[in-house]
Amino acid sequence: MKERIFPGTGILLLLALFLILACTHGDKPAGKPGLITIVFKHGKIAGDPRHFEDILRRFEAEHPGITVRDEILPSSTDEQHQFYVVNLESESADFDVFGVDVIWVPEFARAGWLRDLTGLVGGDEPRMFFDGPMQAVTMEGFVYAIPWYIDAGLLFFRKDLLEKYGFTPPKTWYELVLIAKAITAREPGIYGYVWQGKQYEGLVCNVLEFLWSNGGEVFKDNSLVIDSAENRKALSFMHDLIARYAVTPPLVLSSVEEPTRHIFGNGRALFMRNWPYAWNAFQQRESPVRDKVGISVLPAFPGHDPASALGGWQLGVNRYSRHPEAAESLVRYLTSAHVQKRLALAVGYNPTRKVLYRDADLLRSQPLLGDLYQVFLKARPRPVTPYYMMLTDVLQPEFSAAISGIKTPEEALESARKQIVHILGAAQ
Amino acid sequence: VKDDKSAIRYVSPALALLSVVTIYPILYLIYLSLRRNLLIFHISRFSGLDNFRFLLQDDRFRNALENTLYFTAVSVSLEILLGLSVALLLNRRFRFIHLMTALVLVPWAVPTVVSARMWEWMYNADFGILNYLLGLKIDWLGSPAWALNAAVLMDVWKTTPFVAILLLAGLRTIPPELYQAARIDGANAWSIFWKITLPLLKPAVLVALLFRTLDAFRVFDAVYVLTGGGPANTTETVSIYAYKVLFRTLQFGYGSALSIVVFLCMAGISLLYVKVLSGGVEK
């Protein structure tokens, strides 16, 4: 049999190639000439999507000639980070404005991926925001992203049980242990204090809160002080909560936020460390702890100030954006007081602007904001450094080893110090 | 095949496609692994074999490799044993056989991330169903002694059906006359299994072993969702370590070196199996 390639095959292959090329160059923004489209990438916005849709349409109405397309990324923070890294590394201009996690700002800024937005917060503006997020977005005097909404760790407590046994919310960690021991001894089936101890980013937040509330630091005046006596004491206290005082059940060693919220929400824990989002679930009609929950700033070690780990999202502008001015105006709009207020009312995102915590409408709809204000004032960013992701990659397993008793706090902190020194050395 | 030249013409489009999507990335990976490449510090320079030298004395890599080998050895052996038992059961004739086969396949059909999430809740020390059923208070994912075994158990649950179906296909190819003849000769079930079923099933077992070993060695999603590598990296596998280095901390040079080691291990495993496999078929 004589073989020859069917002539149609070649044509089909050419056609396929043409189609592939057409696709790669085909996604020019559709729109009228003279009209700018800016793309806003971000994680999923909670609640009814229509509210945010509305906010964006309003922006378009106020800025004729600009349309906004918002594109939602997977909700996992790691996946979002990966998306931005891959795209920004290849200098992609496919998106203009994007949501930046509080720990990414220095990294992205150092890589040269974020447009300098210092001009957006001139004069007194920086003081309108909480200190924590402002510190997190500022590198060597330049502002690389604008705080959009804020999150911070706080203490949830069962106010009915505290009242029943005549206690007030604890101010120090030792008070917390005493209260928890006293109440759990008389209330069967209830844990003392639950928090998040799985090896993940949340663990770093939990541990830093203990270290900070004992006057400890990771860096002090640019030198590494992770293996300080303060840190050793705070870290061994965390292990003691589980192993010695038995106030914290070992199950926290594999817990992230949701399982602890679940336990507390079913009335099975006296104290819990979590983020503000947990509150709404406790106020549902069918919730067993409805109207029985109070919140406060986390306790501290005697003689020290409490601190909570800062979370939340900022808005940045892609350095490779083709429409930087339009992008900046969207950032200015979304972080303005009136849009933050609308977002707070509609989907419960906590504003980064302090003035809104005295807003009568907001306080009426969300009475919790008054208490949260105190927490957010104490919110501190995790170490603001470009190599934060490398740092946390070292801290997570070491902290995990220390609280689960695989290593002593001394060993874990010493090992962390060595590895961080190696990272810093590699940076030279 | 009559004409070798025309054969090459037919496979050349496929080869071209393969080289674009496989060979080029591998070459680029090797290029990256010879560089010191830290995006955030604007560092990108040739560093020779430094990455590989560091890898040899990297405790975390050794720990990850040990975890991976343990995970692979234990999960693959259990899967083959259990898969074989299930396949033998399904190879009988009874009512609802098709329904049973479909049911057995369910765990395999569930996406890994979904089943890992499911198991995470089942493993929960406080309200997980596993502790409830066993009447225990084990912190499956939080205690260093249990965490890796918990991941193995989930993997066994998930992929035993895959092995079972592969082996079932192998069993169906064994001619029933052999069994009849053996029975006439007075062989008992035990010797039939050892003398007829197992030798004839060898190619299918090897194929299942090959697939499963490769999959298990590069396990990522199941363990990543269950434990994220914790507690204290006791469940961190080589793939998870490489992922963290590559995409979380952006050390593309060292991450590529790690990936190359994974790649070489897998190539070695495949070659070994393929050698055994071709030997088995020729017989």
Side-chain angles (χ1 to χ4, degrees):
Chain A
M1 190 179 115
K2 186 89 186 143
E3 277 104 348
R4 56 183 286 272
I5 293 184
F6 172 58
T9 316
I11 298 171
L12 273 176
L13 278 174
L14 273 178
L15 196 67
L17 194 66
F18 172 76
L19 276 175
I20 290 169
L21 290 176
C23 288
T24 53
H25 290 281
D27 51 24
K28 293 245 163 58
K32 289 177 219 133
L35 207 72
I36 292 175
T37 300
I38 50 179
V39 176
F40 176 30
K41 283 261 185 209
H42 56 86
K44 191 180 178 308
I45 308 267
D48 189 341
R50 272 176 309 181
H51 295 295
F52 192 62
E53 193 59 24
D54 229 39
I55 288 173
L56 291 180
R57 297 295 86 84
R58 177 94 171 270
F59 171 80
E60 292 172 341
E62 287 174 17
H63 298 77
I66 304 179
T67 51
V68 180
R69 196 168 72 220
D70 75 321
E71 297 182 349
I72 295 172
L73 287 172
S75 58
S76 142
T77 327
D78 270 348
E79 275 173 54
Q80 291 179 30
H81 182 257
Q82 188 180 337
F83 172 86
Y84 291 131
V85 168
V86 169
N87 281 275
L88 292 168
E89 214 262 318
S90 57
E91 310 192 356
S92 164
D94 290 346
F95 54 95
D96 306 278
V97 176
F98 63 112
V100 192
D101 193 352
V102 71
I103 52 182
W104 305 339
V105 184
E107 178 186 44
F108 286 9
R110 177 76 172 266
W113 295 338
L114 287 171
R115 186 177 159 83
D116 175 10
L117 298 181
T118 315
L120 288 187
V121 282
D124 260 357
E125 268 294 281
R127 263 176 285 157
M128 301 290 125
F129 294 90
F130 284 107
D131 278 352
M134 239 19 239
Q135 281 172 31
V137 298
T138 310
M139 285 253 299
E140 287 153 8
F142 296 99
V143 174
Y144 289 97
I146 311 295
W148 191 26
Y149 57 87
I150 185 174
D151 227 353
L154 58 136
L155 184 73
F156 290 80
F157 56 83
R158 284 286 298 278
K159 85 187 159 190
D160 57 324
L161 289 177
L162 289 190
E163 263 163 37
K164 182 173 164 193
Y165 293 99
F167 290 109
T168 53
K171 293 272 175 266
T172 71
W173 291 116
Y174 301 115
E175 273 178 51
L176 180 140
V177 170
L178 288 179
I179 298 172
K181 275 181 153 308
I183 295 183
T184 52
R186 278 176 276 178
E187 295 279 332
I190 188 166
Y191 296 123
Y193 181 40
V194 291
W195 36 278
Q196 295 84 39
K198 181 178 169 173
Q199 180 180 329
Y200 80 124
E201 186 55 36
L203 171 64
V204 177
C205 297
N206 276 262
V207 174
L208 285 177
E209 283 159 354
F210 278 94
L211 306 189
W212 287 335
S213 69
N214 194 32
E217 302 276 352
V218 177
F219 294 102
K220 197 176 225 161
D221 306 324
N222 283 328
S223 63
L224 184 63
V225 290
I226 179 120
D227 53 345
S228 66
E230 292 86 357
N231 287 351
R232 285 203 300 269
K233 181 180 163 195
L235 196 55
S236 59
F237 178 78
M238 288 180 84
H239 178 59
D240 286 348
L241 280 177
I242 304 168
R244 192 164 140 211
Y245 307 122
V247 157
T248 292
L251 67 91
V252 299
L253 296 175
S254 55
S255 293
V256 298
E257 286 84 357
E258 278 297 272
T260 49
R261 182 187 65 80
H262 201 86
I263 291 169
F264 189 87
N266 280 333
R268 310 263 327 276
L270 178 63
F271 295 111
M272 171 180 69
R273 181 268 179 213
N274 214 321
W275 307 91
Y277 85 96
W279 175 263
N280 285 336
F282 302 148
Q283 295 315 109
Q284 302 300 316
R285 195 171 302 280
E286 64 275 17
S287 162
V289 293
R290 186 179 151 94
D291 296 327
K292 294 178 183 166
V293 180
I295 62 158
S296 80
V297 180
L298 287 165
F301 287 91
H304 292 284
D305 269 345
S308 52
L310 173 75
W313 289 79
Q314 345 299 316
L315 296 178
V317 172
N318 180 353
R319 236 271 302 273
Y320 309 105
S321 164
R322 279 186 286 258
H323 312 292
E325 286 81 20
E328 279 189 5
S329 60
L330 178 64
V331 172
R332 190 197 308 269
Y333 168 81
L334 287 174
T335 56
S336 67
H338 71 275
V339 172
Q340 288 200 0
K341 178 174 165 180
R342 275 199 68 183
L343 265 179
L345 285 170
V347 297
Y349 282 5
N350 297 309
T352 50
R353 287 178 180 273
K354 290 187 274 190
V355 64
L356 291 171
Y357 291 76
R358 293 189 295 273
D359 185 279
D361 302 337
L362 260 184
L363 284 174
R364 201 173 319 117
S365 106
Q366 289 171 28
L368 194 68
L369 279 183
D371 293 333
L372 283 177
Y373 183 70
Q374 298 305 322
V375 175
F376 294 149
L377 282 178
K378 300 276 182 208
R380 292 182 52 176
R382 284 155 270 171
V384 182
T385 103
Y387 44 87
Y388 181 78
M389 294 310 263
M390 289 158 120
L391 189 70
T392 185
D393 203 45
V394 167
L395 295 180
Q396 289 175 26
E398 296 301 340
F399 286 165
S400 169
I403 60 167
S404 56
I406 296 173
K407 290 183 181 175
T408 65
E410 289 78 12
E411 286 165 354
L413 291 173
E414 173 58 21
S415 160
R417 192 187 62 81
K418 277 192 193 139
Q419 294 175 66
I420 297 170
V421 166
H422 177 78
I423 293 172
L424 295 175
Q428 301 312 314
Chain B
V1 181
K2 270 194 293 184
D3 187 348
D4 273 355
K5 270 187 198 149
S6 66
I8 288 174
R9 221 161 61 203
Y10 281 121
V11 293
S12 59
L15 281 180
L17 196 67
L18 266 182
S19 55
V20 169
V21 300
T22 317
I23 314 277
Y24 170 72
I26 290 175
L27 291 178
Y28 189 60
L29 195 69
I30 295 172
Y31 164 78
L32 273 179
S33 73
L34 299 175
R35 298 180 70 80
R36 174 148 203 86
N37 198 325
L38 287 176
L39 274 188
I40 46 177
F41 303 119
H42 300 293
I43 291 172
S44 177
R45 58 180 156 80
F46 182 75
S47 66
L49 294 174
D50 273 5
N51 286 326
F52 293 96
R53 232 168 272 143
F54 180 73
L55 196 142
L56 286 180
Q57 43 140 23
D58 183 1
D59 287 343
R60 194 164 163 193
F61 171 71
R62 215 194 50 223
N63 168 55
L65 193 63
E66 283 168 11
N67 289 341
T68 310
L69 290 175
Y70 177 84
F71 179 89
T72 308
V74 178
S75 67
V76 173
S77 346
L78 285 175
E79 281 154 20
I80 296 286
L81 285 179
L82 284 174
L84 186 59
S85 325
V86 173
L88 287 170
L89 286 177
L90 285 179
N91 197 31
R92 292 154 178 272
R93 269 169 230 294
F94 59 92
R95 288 178 68 192
F96 310 120
I97 178 81
H98 295 293
L99 183 72
M100 282 309 292
T101 314
L103 276 180
V104 164
L105 263 179
V106 167
W108 176 249
V110 179
T112 311
V113 174
V114 175
S115 46
R117 200 49 97 202
M118 206 168 82
W119 278 85
E120 192 190 348
W121 287 99
M122 299 203 316
Y123 278 136
N124 186 293
D126 186 54
F127 46 79
I129 187 153
L130 211 59
N131 274 348
Y132 175 78
L133 290 178
L134 297 173
L136 296 169
K137 270 271 170 218
I138 295 176
D139 189 12
W140 298 96
L141 299 175
S143 83
W146 281 109
L148 193 54
N149 291 312
V152 167
L153 180 60
M154 191 218 123
D155 195 66
V156 169
W157 171 83
K158 169 134 186 69
T159 41
T160 297
F162 171 75
V163 176
I165 293 298
L166 268 185
L167 296 184
L168 184 59
L171 285 174
R172 294 252 163 93
T173 62
I174 298 175
E177 295 81 30
L178 287 178
Y179 290 117
Q180 286 165 3
R183 238 168 259 127
I184 290 168
D185 289 345
N188 61 18
W190 191 243
S191 59
I192 289 179
F193 174 76
W194 282 107
K195 296 275 165 56
I196 296 177
T197 312
L198 212 53
L200 288 172
L201 200 58
K202 193 179 152 200
V205 171
L206 282 170
V207 168
L209 265 175
L210 174 67
F211 275 122
R212 281 311 307 142
T213 312
L214 290 183
D215 262 356
F217 194 83
R218 56 177 189 206
V219 62
F220 174 78
D221 39 8
V223 182
Y224 190 73
V225 173
L226 273 182
T227 64
N233 282 348
T234 48
T235 59
E236 188 172 76
T237 63
V238 180
S239 295
I240 292 180
Y241 185 30
Y243 169 80
K244 286 179 180 170
V245 170
L246 276 170
F247 290 108
R248 286 231 307 242
T249 67
L250 312 180
Q251 306 170 65
F252 288 126
Y254 189 54
S256 302
L258 283 173
S259 310
I260 282 185
V261 172
V262 177
F263 170 72
L264 288 179
C265 290
M266 309 245 295
I269 296 171
S270 322
L271 283 178
L272 192 75
Y273 277 131
V274 167
K275 201 158 181 191
V276 179
L277 191 61
S278 55
V281 172
E282 272 161 28
K283 240 193 302 176

